[in-house]
Amino acid sequence: LALAECYHAQGKDSHALVLLDALKLRGQLEGRAAVLAARLHLRAGELVAAQALYAGAIRHDPALADADLARALGLGSPAGLVDAEEADDGDPEGAHPPKAEALGLEERTGAPIEAPKTGFADVGGMEDVKDEITMKIIAPMRHPELYKAYGKVGGGGILMYGPPGCGKTMLARATAGEMKAAFLAVGIHDVLDMWTGNSERNMHALFEQARRRAPCVLFFDEVDALGARRGDMTNASSRSSINQFLAEMDGVQERNKDVLVLGATNAPWHLDSAFRRPGRFDRILFVPPPDAAARESILRLQLAGKPQEKLDVVRLAAKTPKYSGADLKAVVDMALESCLKAALKTGKLAPLKQRDLEDALDKVKPSTLEWFSSARNYATYANQGGVYDDVLRYLDAN
């Protein structure tokens, strides 16, 4: 624990998390260690996991309560949190809302349906990922007789993981466009509800919405927040929500034919292992940072229509390994800002120069480095079944 705290103080979050995961495997993630884990998960944007860890820690030792951390987690005062949890466990009369039907839950639940116009041709690189998605959902729709002959059906689940900003959401939307299907993007706020039972109803309503609109791509962003490992959960309602998610993926009550469930996560190691069983997220695909050709395409797209001199985009793409699409956009934005400042002083357009982009590149470092530092630890020491072999191959090649 002391070493994890030192790493946390130095900003080496991934190193600290690996040590805390080792404590968790030994059943020792409690007290100060659980609070530290909550801080790390919060800083990583994993709010649900952070809330569960903090709530469990202060329930067992109220002296660990931290008002600032509780507010950052959206839990209010520590005392109020404990009272709320005790009320939830006891389920006193009046602690829960009226039935969903009385609230019109079915009508107010659900995300907007989209009909994307983009396809795989609009997404640079990621050919292996596109091939897997094609075999899983697109080909069964285009060649149903072949799949029927082999006893295969369309649908199912694919989990995409990788560093943030590398196009997982764009690829999900392009998948729907490629198969001319409806696209239903689900965020945490579309599912989670403070009232017991409503999160499960929300989850069921979303799957029903996708089944009615099949063929449909049902996309869960930050799926680890909705399907965190049940062993990490201290609240029974959270575990119940995960069980509902699993049941819907299994299609216990309805067959999920022609419904492709895509999940995206930056932290697959926090996802409950039950999601990776056959029939659920049985394809786990690594979405790496864009390769050189894709980086060139992204840069040209970002530079299109801007006042510029002749630019060597190929050279810039070659100098940006491990840069995500979001990082490349940041480079272009910073370079354009310097031109804009010059234009404001002179009153004339200042064209973008190669030097502007090179200077911006010196200031914007790839945001994926921290993710790969964490991923390397998991891929090296917690790679049961070779789940993260693709990460190791990418790191060896880059």
Side-chain angles (χ1 to χ4, degrees), residues 7-135:
Y7 279 140
H8 173 250
Q10 296 170 5
K12 297 180 179 179
D13 291 2
S14 60
H15 295 68
L17 276 170
V18 170
L19 291 173
L20 293 175
D21 272 357
L23 290 177
K24 185 187 301 180
L25 290 174
R26 296 199 296 268
Q28 299 173 353
L29 188 61
E30 54 190 16
R32 282 169 46 210
V35 173
L36 176 59
R39 293 183 186 280
L40 291 168
H41 283 294
L42 176 63
R43 196 144 69 182
E46 298 157 5
L47 181 61
V48 175
Q51 289 174 333
L53 286 163
Y54 178 74
I58 68 167
R59 187 170 63 251
H60 290 98
D61 186 358
L64 294 170
D66 183 318
D68 291 336
L69 179 57
R71 280 193 294 271
L73 291 168
L75 297 175
S77 68
L81 174 61
V82 175
D83 291 344
E85 287 199 344
E86 289 174 352
D88 182 63
D89 289 340
D91 192 14
E93 185 177 357
H96 301 296
K99 290 184 177 180
E101 293 79 7
L103 292 173
L105 186 65
E106 288 294 323
E107 285 72 20
R108 65 180 177 87
T109 298
I113 292 282
E114 301 178 39
K117 303 298 183 185
T118 57
F120 285 167
D122 301 298
V123 179
M126 296 190 279
E127 299 305 324
D128 290 342
V129 182
K130 294 176 187 175
D131 288 345
E132 285 280 359
I133 292 174
T134 298
M135 286 295 295

